[in-house]
Amino acid sequence: MTVITVNTLTDRLSLDQRRALAQTLTDAVLVPEIGQFVPAARAGFQVHFVEREPDMMAIGGLLLADVGPDRDVMVIDVAVMDADWRREVRAEVIERVLAAMADACGLDKPSPAWWVNFRVIDEGSWGSSGGVLTILSLLDSGVFTEEKAKAIRAAISS
C-alpha cells in the first residue's frame, strides 16, 4: 500500500500528464517495493495530484507569486508501509519518481526545485478495510518476489 502525493502549481500538469504519471509514478515505487513488475499490484497504490495557487507556495522565503513563472516547484510525497526500505532501495525509488516526473514534463532532467519526501509509515500505523493493515499480510498475495518477501520479513522482525 502506497500513497504518492504530487504538489504543484495550479495548471502545471495537464490531464494527459496526470494520466501518464498515475501509472509511471505507481510503477516507480511498485517495482522496488515488490521486487518485480506485476500489474495487479497497482491496486495497492494511490496517486493524488494537489494543485496550489502561486500565492500558496514559497521557495527561498518568497511566494511563487512574487518570484515569477520561471520557478518550477514541486513536492512529491511518497508514503509507504514499513517493509524492506534500505537506503539504496529508497534512493532507487526517489530516482525513479524524479525520472517519471521529468519524462511526463518533457524534460531531460528534473528541476532542482522538485523535491521528493520518502516516508515509511511504522508497522501497525496503516489503516484499511476497517482495521490495521500490515505488510506481512500482503506477502502471500503472490506479487512479491521470494527474495523481497524474505527481506521484508527480516526488516519487520528486526
Side-chain angles (χ1 to χ4, degrees):
M1 310 297 275
T2 296
V3 178
I4 303 163
T5 306
V6 180
N7 297 278
T8 64
L9 284 172
T10 302
D11 298 326
R12 171 59 178 92
L13 299 172
S14 69
L15 178 59
D16 286 340
Q17 287 171 315
R18 290 191 307 272
R19 280 187 177 118
L21 286 165
Q23 192 168 78
T24 59
L25 289 174
T26 293
D27 295 346
V29 183
L30 181 149
V31 173
E33 183 172 9
I34 68 172
Q36 63 186 343
F37 177 67
V38 179
R42 287 179 174 155
F45 290 73
Q46 292 184 19
V47 179
H48 298 233
F49 297 95
V50 179
E51 295 184 326
R52 301 186 193 285
E53 294 296 325
D55 63 347
M56 300 299 285
M57 293 177 78
I59 189 166
L62 298 171
L63 289 174
L64 293 180
D66 299 332
V67 174
D70 295 336
R71 293 306 296 256
D72 191 11
V73 174
M74 288 187 207
V75 175
I76 302 105
D77 183 72
V78 180
V80 298
M81 296 177 80
D82 197 2
D84 176 34
W85 295 115
R86 291 166 283 133
R87 184 175 300 224
E88 61 269 18
V89 178
R90 292 188 310 252
E92 178 184 358
V93 168
I94 290 168
E95 291 166 4
R96 290 169 60 98
V97 164
L98 288 168
M101 293 300 304
D103 185 58
C105 292
L107 300 174
D108 292 331
K109 62 181 183 176
S111 164
W114 295 358
W115 298 346
V116 177
N117 296 322
F118 189 96
R119 295 183 302 119
V120 177
I121 308 302
D122 291 338
E123 179 67 16
S125 299
W126 196 287
S128 177
S129 303
V132 175
L133 186 63
T134 172
I135 191 82
L136 298 173
S137 65
L138 302 174
L139 294 180
D140 295 326
S141 65
V143 301
F144 293 85
T145 63
E146 285 184 37
E147 178 182 313
K148 186 55 82 167
K150 184 177 179 181
I152 291 169
R153 284 185 181 95
I156 298 298
S157 66
S158 62

